[in-house]
Amino acid sequence: MSDRYLIIGLGNPGRKYRNTRHNVGFMTIDQMARSFHEKLKKGKGPYQSCKVIYRNQSIICAQPLTFMNNSGLAVRELVHYYDIDLSRLLVVYDDADLLFGHIRLRKTGGTGGHNGMKSVIQHLNTKEFARLRIGIGSDIAKKDMINFVLSGFSKNEQKELDFIIDESVNAALCFIRDGIDNAMNQCNQDLLQRSP
């Protein structure tokens, strides 16, 4: 097995979807690449990726180009191509069950009704990999989930979005630096610290 890490952000390719709620996984990977002065390039499979070095650790940052519902096809190819141990895989995606501004790292888990994660779990044939959920939720989501996740952020949310994406990148790096257990203790929080 390779000693590399693989961080995959889920989303939909194309300008139409670039700034939608469903693409916060893509946004996180974009920001991670920028912070290391790297650019994502088309890979040998249905994905784009780049390599960064963090504390002497080699990290593959990637985005599937299969559209959300078939994300698992690209994830499986990336895992096999780079020979990644699943303990070194982190999948980053939006979660409508979490309030906007919350992030949650988990060691394992189900799909939470997220079609991208359904595809990843199906193609990897396991739930045993770490994931970073980025909250996009609101009451509107429950009424019209498809249109909600494909909509843009409100003006107020946009003011906080860069900070949330930066903190999501920090959580991914914390996973690599300190391991999933420590990263969960440090990073699982409401970033906006709402008043009661």
Side-chain angles (χ1 to χ4, degrees), residues 7-11 21-29 64 68 71 90-98 102-106 108-118 120-121 127 129-136 164-165 168:
I7 311 295
I8 301 178
L10 303 189
R21 297 172 188 273
H22 224 16
N23 269 39
V24 292
F26 269 26
M27 294 175 196
T28 301
I29 295 300
M68 183 66 85
S71 297
L90 178 68
V91 178
V92 184
Y93 64 102
D94 61 291
D95 191 334
D97 289 331
L98 277 180
H102 285 71
I103 60 173
R104 291 287 183 275
L105 278 161
R106 289 284 181 266
T108 183
T111 69
H114 191 284
N115 287 333
M117 285 301 287
K118 284 181 186 176
V120 173
I121 289 170
K127 300 176 183 178
F129 57 88
R131 66 280 314 274
L132 173 61
R133 298 153 51 212
I134 302 174
I136 61 164
I164 291 165
I165 296 301
S168 298

Side-chain angles (χ1 to χ4, degrees), residues 11-38:
N12 287 308
R15 185 174 298 173
K16 175 181 177 182
Y17 301 103
R18 183 175 297 162
N19 297 314
T20 62
R21 297 172 188 273
H22 224 16
N23 269 39
V24 292
F26 269 26
M27 294 175 196
T28 301
I29 295 300
D30 285 335
Q31 180 58 20
M32 184 174 285
R34 277 193 298 270
S35 67
F36 285 93
H37 308 290
E38 295 291 345

Side-chain angles (χ1 to χ4, degrees), residues 19 38 50 54 62 77 82-83 85 91 110 113 133 138 141-142 151-152 162:
N19 297 314
E38 295 291 345
C50 68
Y54 174 67
E77 287 205 28
Y82 289 106
D83 196 24
D85 187 299
V91 178
R133 298 153 51 212
S138 80
K142 298 168 186 172
S151 68
D162 285 348

